[in-house]
Amino acid sequence: MKQNPLILPLIGSGIAFLCFFFSWLKFDFSSLGLDPMFSNLQGTATVSGIQFVIGGSIFDSLTFLSTLVILGICFYMLTQKTPWKSRIPVLICSAFGLLYVLIGLILFIIQDNFTSSKLLEYVPTEIELGNIVSFQFGLYGVALGFIFALFGAWKIPKSGTAIDDDE
């Protein structure tokens, strides 16, 4: 039996899809030392990737769409037994998905640095943003899933190799 070249892109996009439902960011407000009488910011809060998609974040919506397209292409090409036809679309979608995750991450860091610098102008105490916001497993899982899909798509044969049983 020949090994199916779509297995790695399928697993990678499946991991990325599932990690959208895991926690991406964790906010810990306990380090702020705010008075509970005057502030609702207490404890911790987590945000998942699907919350970003539902909230209308363009980069996260395109990333989620990329995972769905890769999954759809892989399943369709598995039924057609023509994996070489999926090479270019899976390469493009996984590269764009990985770029969207990285661009969204960079924009989040830049925006939070700008916001925290403005916030620090009005708050008398020193607040370090790294103590409040931390990246969680879901964000790393999406990036890792797209890396697997990209690597797997790169290994798909360029033409004419069908999936046959050699028994």
Side-chain angles (χ1 to χ4, degrees), residues 56-69:
S57 172
I58 187 71
F59 289 113
D60 298 317
S61 298
L62 290 174
T63 305
F64 188 69
L65 183 65
S66 293
T67 60
L68 295 178
V69 168

Side-chain angles (χ1 to χ4, degrees), residues 28-115:
D28 184 14
F29 301 112
S30 63
S31 64
L32 293 177
L34 299 174
D35 188 9
M37 211 59 163
F38 301 109
S39 175
N40 292 333
L41 295 176
Q42 297 298 320
T44 62
T46 59
V47 180
S48 67
I50 201 70
Q51 290 172 323
F52 284 122
V53 172
I54 292 170
S57 172
I58 187 71
F59 289 113
D60 298 317
S61 298
L62 290 174
T63 305
F64 188 69
L65 183 65
S66 293
T67 60
L68 295 178
V69 168
I70 293 170
L71 283 171
I73 289 171
C74 288
F75 280 126
Y76 179 73
M77 292 303 167
L78 277 174
T79 61
Q80 298 297 316
K81 298 187 189 253
T82 55
W84 68 90
K85 291 181 181 178
S86 66
R87 185 173 198 258
I88 299 299
V90 171
L91 271 173
I92 291 170
C93 288
S94 57
F96 280 144
L98 184 61
L99 284 175
Y100 289 144
V101 168
L102 295 177
I103 288 171
L105 187 68
I106 291 169
L107 287 178
F108 180 80
I109 292 170
I110 290 171
Q111 180 181 1
D112 277 344
N113 285 338
F114 178 72
T115 305

